[in-house]
Amino acid sequence: MKILHFADLHLDTRFDRAGPARRKAQRDTLALIVELACAQQVDALLCAGDLYEHDRFSPDTAAFLRSAFDIDVPVYLAPGDDDWYGPQSLYQQVDWSPNVHVFTEEALEPVELTDGVTLWGGAHCEPSGGKGFLEEFTVNRGGVNLALFHGPSPADVEITGLDHAFLGHEHTPAHAARYTYPGNPDPLTSGETGERGAVLCTVNPDGTVSRQTHDVSVSRSRGLVVPDVIASPSAVDHGWFVEERTVRGQFVRDVLASSLEPATRDRVLAMGLAALEER
């Protein structure tokens, strides 16, 4: 069977610069992930937590996620410590389409993906994270057993009887024989390393997993992630801002149309964009 796995998108997070454009890029990244899941005709789309920021989400985010996941693919969501499951969580507020399953318990609970394949999923129910999901856990059924949760690297996946764990929390991608961390699919900082994205996984009949990472980052493709906007302003793709019908877009259009020297123009753009972001 085929699974597409991602984690740690952190919708609605705060960025130091170009925040609105970056947050729009995050949404477009999720749209690419969903599009990939449908194009690959996967059997399940998995998200291992920190899909959004609990302290910053809006009703618009809830509506966006409801629409994004209304597809002909089963979707399984395991809340993390930044999007923890609780009475006020977005997970509780959305009237999800029937294909979406949200795990709601701290103890891993089983869901049958297909005949002979079980997915064990769990949720963080408080921001502190609670106990480890594999503590005192043992598989109690045959077939292929997979896990989905948000947490630190588990050294004891094999002894629990699990064949593979699809995980979130570590932003640096890590692929091991028994677990997969996809990394955050759209960069959150400029210094991130590793081949990150959405990971297309083939689960073999013996429980082993083969993987292929797909780059789905919209922030990178639009030139929104640079080491330092002030120190290296010419690295920014200002063409993205030009298209905006906003105060920021008008500012960029006016500066680009001016007769300023390139170096001066870039400094003005960088400082102006930073100031607008702080408004």
Side-chain angles (χ1 to χ4, degrees):
M1 70 178 304
K2 288 199 298 185
I3 287 173
L4 188 65
H5 174 46
F6 77 102
D8 298 290
L9 183 57
H10 287 273
L11 291 172
D12 293 333
T13 195
R14 187 186 185 282
F15 293 98
D16 290 336
R17 299 185 179 95
R22 293 293 303 277
R23 286 186 283 274
K24 173 64 165 59
Q26 287 181 306
R27 291 192 178 196
D28 292 344
T29 293
L30 181 59
L32 286 182
I33 292 171
V34 170
E35 181 180 317
L36 178 62
C38 294
Q40 291 289 335
Q41 298 182 320
V42 299
D43 298 290
L45 174 60
L46 310 183
C47 178
D50 286 3
L51 174 61
Y52 66 91
E53 296 278 350
H54 176 84
D55 294 334
R56 292 178 57 87
F57 82 87
S58 67
D60 180 64
T61 307
F64 166 73
L65 287 174
R66 202 283 181 196
S67 175
F69 288 136
D70 186 5
I71 56 177
D72 293 328
V73 172
V75 177
Y76 297 90
L77 308 176
D81 54 347
D82 281 332
D83 61 345
W84 52 282
Y85 185 84
Q88 303 303 317
S89 71
L90 179 152
Y91 292 113
Q92 288 257 39
Q93 298 181 26
V94 174
D95 180 19
W96 299 102
S97 50
N99 64 302
V100 177
H101 180 93
V102 180
F103 291 101
T104 62
E105 302 293 333
E106 288 187 342
L108 295 180
E109 56 179 335
V111 173
E112 188 176 274
L113 294 185
T114 188
D115 188 32
V117 180
T118 301
L119 178 68
W120 298 82
H124 287 263
C125 296
E126 56 185 354
S128 61
K131 70 172 187 177
F133 288 101
L134 298 187
E135 292 179 15
E136 303 177 1
F137 172 78
T138 303
V139 169
N140 60 6
R141 62 186 62 194
V144 174
N145 286 274
L146 311 172
L148 176 68
F149 61 86
H150 187 89
S153 179
D156 49 358
V157 173
E158 185 173 4
I159 64 174
T160 64
L162 289 168
D163 293 290
H164 202 86
F166 296 99
L167 306 173
H169 181 65
E170 300 292 345
H171 289 186
T172 300
H175 296 177
R178 294 278 180 168
Y179 62 82
T180 299
Y181 281 105
N184 46 301
D186 200 56
L188 298 169
T189 65
S190 61
E192 296 172 354
T193 59
E195 187 181 8
R196 66 194 61 250
V199 182
L200 183 62
C201 304
T202 299
V203 180
N204 301 307
D206 63 356
T208 58
V209 172
S210 57
R211 291 163 290 216
Q212 180 183 12
T213 299
H214 290 255
D215 184 358
V216 291
S217 171
V218 172
S219 289
R220 277 202 299 263
S221 67
R222 290 177 181 165
L224 297 174
V225 183
V226 294
D228 191 324
V229 175
I230 301 298
S232 183
S234 61
V236 180
D237 179 8
H238 296 116
W240 167 247
F241 300 116
V242 168
E243 298 175 3
E244 293 185 352
R245 298 302 167 187
T246 61
V247 172
R248 179 175 59 187
Q250 188 61 55
F251 165 72
V252 171
R253 289 191 292 274
D254 289 345
V255 174
L256 291 178
S258 71
S259 58
L260 293 171
E261 292 293 323
T264 302
R265 178 199 63 200
D266 288 340
R267 284 196 298 273
V268 170
L269 282 169
M271 295 175 67
L273 288 171
L276 286 170
E277 174 59 20
E278 293 172 357
R279 293 178 61 189

Short mmCIF file of all heavy atoms in Angstrom, two decimals, residues 170-237:
data_model
loop_
_atom_site.label_atom_id
_atom_site.label_comp_id
_atom_site.label_asym_id
_atom_site.label_seq_id
_atom_site.Cartn_x
_atom_site.Cartn_y
_atom_site.Cartn_z
N GLU A 170 10.49 16.32 14.99
CA GLU A 170 11.85 16.66 14.57
C GLU A 170 11.77 17.38 13.22
O GLU A 170 11.30 16.82 12.23
CB GLU A 170 12.71 15.40 14.44
CG GLU A 170 12.85 14.61 15.73
CD GLU A 170 13.67 15.34 16.78
OE1 GLU A 170 14.35 16.31 16.42
OE2 GLU A 170 13.61 14.94 17.96
N HIS A 171 12.25 18.62 13.17
CA HIS A 171 12.17 19.38 11.93
C HIS A 171 13.26 18.99 10.94
O HIS A 171 13.14 19.29 9.75
CB HIS A 171 12.23 20.88 12.22
CG HIS A 171 10.99 21.41 12.87
ND1 HIS A 171 10.77 22.74 13.10
CD2 HIS A 171 9.88 20.77 13.33
CE1 HIS A 171 9.59 22.91 13.68
NE2 HIS A 171 9.04 21.73 13.84
N THR A 172 14.30 18.35 11.42
CA THR A 172 15.33 17.83 10.51
C THR A 172 14.91 16.43 10.07
O THR A 172 14.68 15.56 10.91
CB THR A 172 16.70 17.76 11.20
OG1 THR A 172 17.08 19.07 11.62
CG2 THR A 172 17.75 17.21 10.25
N PRO A 173 14.79 16.18 8.77
CA PRO A 173 14.34 14.87 8.30
C PRO A 173 15.25 13.75 8.80
O PRO A 173 16.47 13.91 8.88
CB PRO A 173 14.41 14.99 6.77
CG PRO A 173 14.41 16.45 6.50
CD PRO A 173 15.09 17.11 7.65
N ALA A 174 14.64 12.62 9.14
CA ALA A 174 15.41 11.45 9.59
C ALA A 174 14.66 10.19 9.17
O ALA A 174 13.50 10.00 9.54
CB ALA A 174 15.59 11.48 11.10
N HIS A 175 15.34 9.36 8.40
CA HIS A 175 14.75 8.11 7.93
C HIS A 175 15.55 6.95 8.50
O HIS A 175 16.76 6.85 8.29
CB HIS A 175 14.76 8.04 6.40
CG HIS A 175 13.92 9.10 5.75
ND1 HIS A 175 13.85 9.24 4.38
CD2 HIS A 175 13.11 10.05 6.27
CE1 HIS A 175 13.03 10.23 4.09
NE2 HIS A 175 12.57 10.74 5.22
N ALA A 176 14.88 6.07 9.22
CA ALA A 176 15.51 4.88 9.77
C ALA A 176 14.68 3.67 9.36
O ALA A 176 13.59 3.80 8.78
CB ALA A 176 15.61 4.98 11.29
N ALA A 177 15.20 2.49 9.66
CA ALA A 177 14.51 1.28 9.25
C ALA A 177 13.11 1.19 9.83
O ALA A 177 12.18 0.71 9.19
CB ALA A 177 15.33 0.05 9.66
N ARG A 178 12.94 1.71 11.07
CA ARG A 178 11.66 1.55 11.76
C ARG A 178 10.87 2.85 11.93
O ARG A 178 9.78 2.83 12.49
CB ARG A 178 11.90 0.93 13.14
CG ARG A 178 12.42 -0.49 13.09
CD ARG A 178 11.30 -1.49 12.88
NE ARG A 178 11.79 -2.87 12.83
CZ ARG A 178 11.02 -3.93 12.89
NH1 ARG A 178 9.71 -3.79 13.00
NH2 ARG A 178 11.54 -5.14 12.82
N TYR A 179 11.40 3.97 11.48
CA TYR A 179 10.62 5.20 11.62
C TYR A 179 11.00 6.21 10.54
O TYR A 179 12.07 6.14 9.93
CB TYR A 179 10.78 5.82 13.01
CG TYR A 179 12.17 6.25 13.39
CD1 TYR A 179 12.69 7.48 12.97
CD2 TYR A 179 12.97 5.45 14.20
CE1 TYR A 179 13.96 7.89 13.34
CE2 TYR A 179 14.24 5.85 14.57
CZ TYR A 179 14.73 7.07 14.14
OH TYR A 179 15.99 7.48 14.50
N THR A 180 10.09 7.18 10.34
CA THR A 180 10.28 8.24 9.35
C THR A 180 9.88 9.59 9.94
O THR A 180 8.75 9.76 10.41
CB THR A 180 9.41 7.99 8.09
OG1 THR A 180 9.79 6.75 7.49
CG2 THR A 180 9.58 9.12 7.08
N TYR A 181 10.84 10.52 9.96
CA TYR A 181 10.56 11.92 10.23
C TYR A 181 10.68 12.67 8.89
O TYR A 181 11.78 12.74 8.34
CB TYR A 181 11.57 12.52 11.20
CG TYR A 181 11.35 12.20 12.65
CD1 TYR A 181 12.16 11.28 13.31
CD2 TYR A 181 10.35 12.84 13.38
CE1 TYR A 181 11.98 10.99 14.65
CE2 TYR A 181 10.16 12.55 14.73
CZ TYR A 181 10.98 11.63 15.35
OH TYR A 181 10.79 11.35 16.68
N PRO A 182 9.60 13.24 8.37
CA PRO A 182 9.70 13.92 7.07
C PRO A 182 10.33 15.30 7.14
O PRO A 182 10.75 15.85 6.12
CB PRO A 182 8.24 14.02 6.63
CG PRO A 182 7.48 14.10 7.92
CD PRO A 182 8.23 13.23 8.90
N GLY A 183 10.42 15.89 8.36
CA GLY A 183 10.84 17.28 8.47
C GLY A 183 9.70 18.20 8.09
O GLY A 183 8.71 17.78 7.48
N ASN A 184 9.79 19.47 8.46
CA ASN A 184 8.73 20.41 8.09
C ASN A 184 8.79 20.65 6.58
O ASN A 184 9.85 20.93 6.03
CB ASN A 184 8.86 21.72 8.87
CG ASN A 184 10.28 22.26 8.90
OD1 ASN A 184 11.18 21.58 9.37
ND2 ASN A 184 10.48 23.47 8.38
N PRO A 185 7.66 20.56 5.89
CA PRO A 185 7.68 20.61 4.42
C PRO A 185 7.97 21.98 3.84
O PRO A 185 8.45 22.08 2.71
CB PRO A 185 6.28 20.13 4.04
CG PRO A 185 5.43 20.49 5.22
CD PRO A 185 6.31 20.30 6.42
N ASP A 186 7.65 23.03 4.58
CA ASP A 186 7.95 24.39 4.14
C ASP A 186 8.83 25.03 5.21
O ASP A 186 8.46 25.03 6.39
CB ASP A 186 6.66 25.20 3.96
CG ASP A 186 6.86 26.41 3.07
OD1 ASP A 186 7.31 26.24 1.92
OD2 ASP A 186 6.54 27.53 3.52
N PRO A 187 10.00 25.56 4.85
CA PRO A 187 10.96 26.02 5.86
C PRO A 187 10.36 27.04 6.83
O PRO A 187 9.60 27.92 6.44
CB PRO A 187 12.07 26.66 5.01
CG PRO A 187 11.99 25.96 3.71
CD PRO A 187 10.52 25.71 3.49
N LEU A 188 10.74 26.89 8.08
CA LEU A 188 10.33 27.84 9.12
C LEU A 188 11.44 28.82 9.45
O LEU A 188 11.18 29.92 9.93
CB LEU A 188 9.91 27.08 10.38
CG LEU A 188 8.70 26.15 10.19
CD1 LEU A 188 8.52 25.25 11.41
CD2 LEU A 188 7.43 26.95 9.93
N THR A 189 12.69 28.43 9.19
CA THR A 189 13.85 29.30 9.38
C THR A 189 14.77 29.16 8.18
O THR A 189 14.61 28.25 7.35
CB THR A 189 14.62 28.94 10.66
OG1 THR A 189 15.17 27.62 10.52
CG2 THR A 189 13.72 28.97 11.88
N SER A 190 15.76 30.03 8.09
CA SER A 190 16.64 30.03 6.93
C SER A 190 17.75 29.00 7.01
O SER A 190 18.37 28.68 6.01
CB SER A 190 17.26 31.42 6.74
OG SER A 190 18.03 31.76 7.89
N GLY A 191 18.02 28.44 8.19
CA GLY A 191 19.18 27.57 8.33
C GLY A 191 18.87 26.09 8.32
O GLY A 191 19.71 25.27 8.70
N GLU A 192 17.69 25.70 7.88
CA GLU A 192 17.31 24.29 7.94
C GLU A 192 18.04 23.47 6.88
O GLU A 192 18.28 23.93 5.77
CB GLU A 192 15.79 24.16 7.76
CG GLU A 192 15.02 24.80 8.89
CD GLU A 192 13.53 24.86 8.64
OE1 GLU A 192 13.09 24.50 7.54
OE2 GLU A 192 12.81 25.27 9.56
N THR A 193 18.39 22.25 7.25
CA THR A 193 19.12 21.37 6.35
C THR A 193 18.37 20.05 6.20
O THR A 193 17.48 19.72 6.98
CB THR A 193 20.53 21.07 6.89
OG1 THR A 193 20.42 20.45 8.19
CG2 THR A 193 21.35 22.35 7.02
N GLY A 194 18.75 19.29 5.20
CA GLY A 194 18.15 17.98 4.98
C GLY A 194 17.08 18.02 3.91
O GLY A 194 16.46 19.06 3.65
N GLU A 195 16.87 16.86 3.28
CA GLU A 195 15.87 16.75 2.22
C GLU A 195 14.50 16.57 2.84
O GLU A 195 14.10 15.49 3.24
CB GLU A 195 16.21 15.55 1.31
CG GLU A 195 15.32 15.45 0.09
CD GLU A 195 15.64 14.25 -0.79
OE1 GLU A 195 16.46 13.41 -0.35
OE2 GLU A 195 15.08 14.15 -1.88
N ARG A 196 13.77 17.66 2.93
CA ARG A 196 12.49 17.67 3.62
C ARG A 196 11.35 17.76 2.62
O ARG A 196 11.53 18.13 1.46
CB ARG A 196 12.41 18.83 4.60
CG ARG A 196 12.41 20.20 3.93
CD ARG A 196 12.67 21.33 4.91
NE ARG A 196 13.98 21.20 5.53
CZ ARG A 196 14.16 20.87 6.81
NH1 ARG A 196 13.13 20.67 7.60
NH2 ARG A 196 15.38 20.76 7.29
N GLY A 197 10.16 17.42 3.09
CA GLY A 197 8.99 17.53 2.23
C GLY A 197 7.92 16.55 2.64
O GLY A 197 7.79 16.19 3.81
N ALA A 198 7.14 16.11 1.67
CA ALA A 198 6.16 15.05 1.88
C ALA A 198 6.80 13.74 1.43
O ALA A 198 7.41 13.69 0.35
CB ALA A 198 4.89 15.33 1.08
N VAL A 199 6.69 12.71 2.24
CA VAL A 199 7.38 11.45 1.96
C VAL A 199 6.38 10.42 1.46
O VAL A 199 5.43 10.06 2.17
CB VAL A 199 8.11 10.93 3.21
CG1 VAL A 199 8.86 9.64 2.88
CG2 VAL A 199 9.08 11.98 3.74
N LEU A 200 6.59 9.98 0.24
CA LEU A 200 5.76 8.94 -0.36
C LEU A 200 6.33 7.59 0.05
O LEU A 200 7.48 7.28 -0.26
CB LEU A 200 5.74 9.09 -1.88
CG LEU A 200 4.84 8.11 -2.65
CD1 LEU A 200 3.38 8.29 -2.26
CD2 LEU A 200 5.03 8.30 -4.15
N CYS A 201 5.54 6.82 0.75
CA CYS A 201 6.01 5.56 1.33
C CYS A 201 5.24 4.38 0.74
O CYS A 201 4.01 4.43 0.62
CB CYS A 201 5.83 5.55 2.84
SG CYS A 201 6.63 6.93 3.69
N THR A 202 5.96 3.34 0.43
CA THR A 202 5.35 2.07 0.05
C THR A 202 5.54 1.10 1.21
O THR A 202 6.67 0.82 1.61
CB THR A 202 6.00 1.49 -1.22
OG1 THR A 202 5.80 2.41 -2.31
CG2 THR A 202 5.37 0.15 -1.58
N VAL A 203 4.44 0.63 1.76
CA VAL A 203 4.48 -0.33 2.85
C VAL A 203 4.38 -1.72 2.25
O VAL A 203 3.36 -2.07 1.63
CB VAL A 203 3.34 -0.09 3.86
CG1 VAL A 203 3.41 -1.11 5.00
CG2 VAL A 203 3.40 1.33 4.40
N ASN A 204 5.43 -2.49 2.42
CA ASN A 204 5.48 -3.83 1.84
C ASN A 204 4.76 -4.84 2.73
O ASN A 204 4.53 -4.59 3.92
CB ASN A 204 6.94 -4.23 1.63
CG ASN A 204 7.67 -3.26 0.72
OD1 ASN A 204 7.22 -2.97 -0.39
ND2 ASN A 204 8.79 -2.72 1.19
N PRO A 205 4.40 -6.01 2.18
CA PRO A 205 3.67 -7.00 2.97
C PRO A 205 4.38 -7.45 4.24
O PRO A 205 3.73 -7.86 5.21
CB PRO A 205 3.51 -8.17 1.99
CG PRO A 205 3.53 -7.53 0.64
CD PRO A 205 4.51 -6.40 0.76
N ASP A 206 5.73 -7.35 4.27
CA ASP A 206 6.46 -7.75 5.47
C ASP A 206 6.64 -6.60 6.47
O ASP A 206 7.33 -6.75 7.48
CB ASP A 206 7.83 -8.33 5.09
CG ASP A 206 8.73 -7.31 4.40
OD1 ASP A 206 8.26 -6.17 4.13
OD2 ASP A 206 9.90 -7.64 4.11
N GLY A 207 6.02 -5.45 6.18
CA GLY A 207 6.09 -4.31 7.10
C GLY A 207 7.24 -3.37 6.85
O GLY A 207 7.31 -2.31 7.49
N THR A 208 8.15 -3.71 5.95
CA THR A 208 9.22 -2.78 5.61
C THR A 208 8.67 -1.64 4.76
O THR A 208 7.62 -1.77 4.12
CB THR A 208 10.36 -3.49 4.86
OG1 THR A 208 9.83 -4.09 3.66
CG2 THR A 208 10.99 -4.57 5.73
N VAL A 209 9.40 -0.53 4.76
CA VAL A 209 8.91 0.67 4.08
C VAL A 209 10.00 1.22 3.16
O VAL A 209 11.16 1.37 3.56
CB VAL A 209 8.52 1.75 5.11
CG1 VAL A 209 8.20 3.08 4.43
CG2 VAL A 209 7.32 1.29 5.94
N SER A 210 9.62 1.52 1.92
CA SER A 210 10.51 2.24 1.01
C SER A 210 9.96 3.65 0.86
O SER A 210 8.74 3.87 0.92
CB SER A 210 10.59 1.54 -0.35
OG SER A 210 9.31 1.39 -0.93
N ARG A 211 10.86 4.64 0.65
CA ARG A 211 10.46 6.05 0.74
C ARG A 211 11.02 6.88 -0.40
O ARG A 211 12.12 6.61 -0.89
CB ARG A 211 10.95 6.65 2.06
CG ARG A 211 10.27 6.13 3.29
CD ARG A 211 11.06 6.44 4.54
NE ARG A 211 12.28 5.67 4.62
CZ ARG A 211 12.81 5.19 5.75
NH1 ARG A 211 12.21 5.43 6.89
NH2 ARG A 211 13.91 4.50 5.74
N GLN A 212 10.26 7.90 -0.75
CA GLN A 212 10.71 8.90 -1.72
C GLN A 212 10.21 10.26 -1.26
O GLN A 212 9.01 10.46 -1.09
CB GLN A 212 10.19 8.59 -3.13
CG GLN A 212 10.64 9.60 -4.18
CD GLN A 212 10.05 9.32 -5.55
OE1 GLN A 212 9.13 8.51 -5.69
NE2 GLN A 212 10.56 9.98 -6.56
N THR A 213 11.14 11.19 -1.04
CA THR A 213 10.76 12.52 -0.56
C THR A 213 10.45 13.44 -1.73
O THR A 213 11.21 13.52 -2.70
CB THR A 213 11.89 13.12 0.29
OG1 THR A 213 12.14 12.28 1.42
CG2 THR A 213 11.52 14.51 0.78
N HIS A 214 9.34 14.14 -1.62
CA HIS A 214 8.93 15.11 -2.64
C HIS A 214 9.03 16.52 -2.07
O HIS A 214 8.45 16.82 -1.02
CB HIS A 214 7.49 14.83 -3.09
CG HIS A 214 7.33 13.58 -3.89
ND1 HIS A 214 7.14 13.58 -5.26
CD2 HIS A 214 7.37 12.27 -3.52
CE1 HIS A 214 7.03 12.34 -5.70
NE2 HIS A 214 7.17 11.53 -4.66
N ASP A 215 9.76 17.38 -2.75
CA ASP A 215 9.89 18.78 -2.34
C ASP A 215 8.60 19.51 -2.70
O ASP A 215 8.23 19.63 -3.87
CB ASP A 215 11.07 19.42 -3.06
CG ASP A 215 11.32 20.86 -2.61
OD1 ASP A 215 10.55 21.37 -1.77
OD2 ASP A 215 12.29 21.47 -3.10
N VAL A 216 7.89 19.98 -1.69
CA VAL A 216 6.61 20.67 -1.90
C VAL A 216 6.65 22.10 -1.38
O VAL A 216 5.61 22.76 -1.28
CB VAL A 216 5.46 19.89 -1.24
CG1 VAL A 216 5.20 18.58 -1.96
CG2 VAL A 216 5.75 19.64 0.25
N SER A 217 7.83 22.60 -1.04
CA SER A 217 7.94 23.92 -0.42
C SER A 217 7.62 25.04 -1.40
O SER A 217 8.29 25.21 -2.42
CB SER A 217 9.36 24.13 0.12
OG SER A 217 9.53 25.48 0.53
N VAL A 218 6.61 25.81 -1.07
CA VAL A 218 6.24 26.97 -1.89
C VAL A 218 7.08 28.18 -1.50
O VAL A 218 7.43 29.01 -2.35
CB VAL A 218 4.74 27.25 -1.77
CG1 VAL A 218 4.37 28.56 -2.47
CG2 VAL A 218 3.93 26.10 -2.36
N SER A 219 7.44 28.30 -0.23
CA SER A 219 8.28 29.43 0.19
C SER A 219 9.60 29.44 -0.55
O SER A 219 10.09 30.50 -0.97
CB SER A 219 8.55 29.37 1.71
OG SER A 219 7.38 29.68 2.43
N ARG A 220 10.21 28.27 -0.73
CA ARG A 220 11.48 28.21 -1.46
C ARG A 220 11.27 28.54 -2.93
O ARG A 220 12.06 29.28 -3.53
CB ARG A 220 12.12 26.83 -1.30
CG ARG A 220 12.92 26.66 -0.02
CD ARG A 220 13.94 25.53 -0.15
NE ARG A 220 13.29 24.25 -0.40
CZ ARG A 220 13.03 23.36 0.55
NH1 ARG A 220 13.34 23.61 1.80
NH2 ARG A 220 12.45 22.22 0.25
N SER A 221 10.23 27.98 -3.53
CA SER A 221 10.03 28.21 -4.96
C SER A 221 9.72 29.67 -5.27
O SER A 221 9.99 30.14 -6.37
CB SER A 221 8.91 27.30 -5.49
OG SER A 221 7.65 27.67 -4.94
N ARG A 222 9.18 30.40 -4.29
CA ARG A 222 8.88 31.82 -4.49
C ARG A 222 10.00 32.74 -4.00
O ARG A 222 9.86 33.96 -4.01
CB ARG A 222 7.57 32.18 -3.78
CG ARG A 222 6.35 31.56 -4.44
CD ARG A 222 5.07 31.84 -3.68
NE ARG A 222 3.94 31.21 -4.35
CZ ARG A 222 2.74 31.03 -3.81
NH1 ARG A 222 2.51 31.45 -2.57
NH2 ARG A 222 1.77 30.44 -4.48
N GLY A 223 11.10 32.15 -3.56
CA GLY A 223 12.22 32.96 -3.12
C GLY A 223 11.98 33.71 -1.83
O GLY A 223 12.57 34.77 -1.59
N LEU A 224 11.13 33.15 -0.96
CA LEU A 224 10.79 33.84 0.28
C LEU A 224 11.71 33.48 1.43
O LEU A 224 11.65 34.12 2.49
CB LEU A 224 9.34 33.50 0.68
CG LEU A 224 8.26 33.95 -0.31
CD1 LEU A 224 6.90 33.42 0.13
CD2 LEU A 224 8.23 35.46 -0.42
N VAL A 225 12.54 32.46 1.26
CA VAL A 225 13.44 32.03 2.34
C VAL A 225 14.86 32.43 1.97
O VAL A 225 15.44 31.90 1.04
CB VAL A 225 13.37 30.51 2.55
CG1 VAL A 225 14.25 30.10 3.73
CG2 VAL A 225 11.94 30.07 2.78
N VAL A 226 15.40 33.41 2.69
CA VAL A 226 16.76 33.88 2.45
C VAL A 226 17.49 33.97 3.78
O VAL A 226 16.87 34.12 4.83
CB VAL A 226 16.77 35.26 1.75
CG1 VAL A 226 16.19 35.15 0.35
CG2 VAL A 226 16.01 36.28 2.56
N PRO A 227 18.83 33.88 3.78
CA PRO A 227 19.56 33.92 5.04
C PRO A 227 19.32 35.19 5.85
O PRO A 227 19.16 35.14 7.05
CB PRO A 227 21.03 33.83 4.59
CG PRO A 227 20.96 33.13 3.28
CD PRO A 227 19.70 33.60 2.64
N ASP A 228 19.29 36.34 5.19
CA ASP A 228 19.10 37.59 5.91
C ASP A 228 18.63 38.63 4.91
O ASP A 228 19.39 39.05 4.04
CB ASP A 228 20.40 38.05 6.57
CG ASP A 228 20.16 39.20 7.54
OD1 ASP A 228 19.31 40.04 7.26
OD2 ASP A 228 20.85 39.23 8.58
N VAL A 229 17.39 39.07 5.05
CA VAL A 229 16.84 40.00 4.08
C VAL A 229 17.60 41.32 4.06
O VAL A 229 17.81 41.92 3.03
CB VAL A 229 15.34 40.26 4.38
CG1 VAL A 229 14.77 41.31 3.45
CG2 VAL A 229 14.56 38.96 4.25
N ILE A 230 18.05 41.76 5.24
CA ILE A 230 18.76 43.03 5.28
C ILE A 230 20.16 42.90 4.70
O ILE A 230 20.61 43.73 3.92
CB ILE A 230 18.85 43.55 6.73
CG1 ILE A 230 17.44 43.73 7.32
CG2 ILE A 230 19.61 44.86 6.79
CD1 ILE A 230 16.59 44.73 6.61
N ALA A 231 20.87 41.82 5.06
CA ALA A 231 22.24 41.65 4.61
C ALA A 231 22.31 41.27 3.14
O ALA A 231 23.27 41.59 2.46
CB ALA A 231 22.94 40.58 5.45
N SER A 232 21.30 40.58 2.65
CA SER A 232 21.33 40.12 1.26
C SER A 232 19.99 40.38 0.60
O SER A 232 19.30 39.45 0.19
CB SER A 232 21.68 38.63 1.22
OG SER A 232 21.79 38.18 -0.11
N PRO A 233 19.57 41.63 0.49
CA PRO A 233 18.24 41.94 0.00
C PRO A 233 18.01 41.54 -1.43
O PRO A 233 16.88 41.24 -1.83
CB PRO A 233 18.15 43.46 0.18
CG PRO A 233 19.56 43.94 0.18
CD PRO A 233 20.35 42.85 0.82
N SER A 234 19.04 41.53 -2.27
CA SER A 234 18.84 41.21 -3.67
C SER A 234 18.47 39.76 -3.88
O SER A 234 18.06 39.36 -4.97
CB SER A 234 20.11 41.53 -4.47
OG SER A 234 21.20 40.76 -3.98
N ALA A 235 18.61 38.92 -2.81
CA ALA A 235 18.27 37.51 -2.94
C ALA A 235 16.77 37.27 -2.92
O ALA A 235 16.30 36.20 -3.25
CB ALA A 235 18.92 36.70 -1.80
N VAL A 236 15.99 38.29 -2.52
CA VAL A 236 14.55 38.12 -2.42
C VAL A 236 13.89 38.27 -3.79
O VAL A 236 14.22 39.17 -4.55
CB VAL A 236 13.96 39.15 -1.44
CG1 VAL A 236 12.45 38.98 -1.33
CG2 VAL A 236 14.62 39.02 -0.08
N ASP A 237 12.95 37.40 -4.10
CA ASP A 237 12.19 37.50 -5.33
C ASP A 237 11.05 38.50 -5.10
O ASP A 237 9.97 38.13 -4.64
CB ASP A 237 11.64 36.12 -5.71
CG ASP A 237 10.81 36.18 -6.98
OD1 ASP A 237 10.79 37.24 -7.63
OD2 ASP A 237 10.18 35.15 -7.31
#
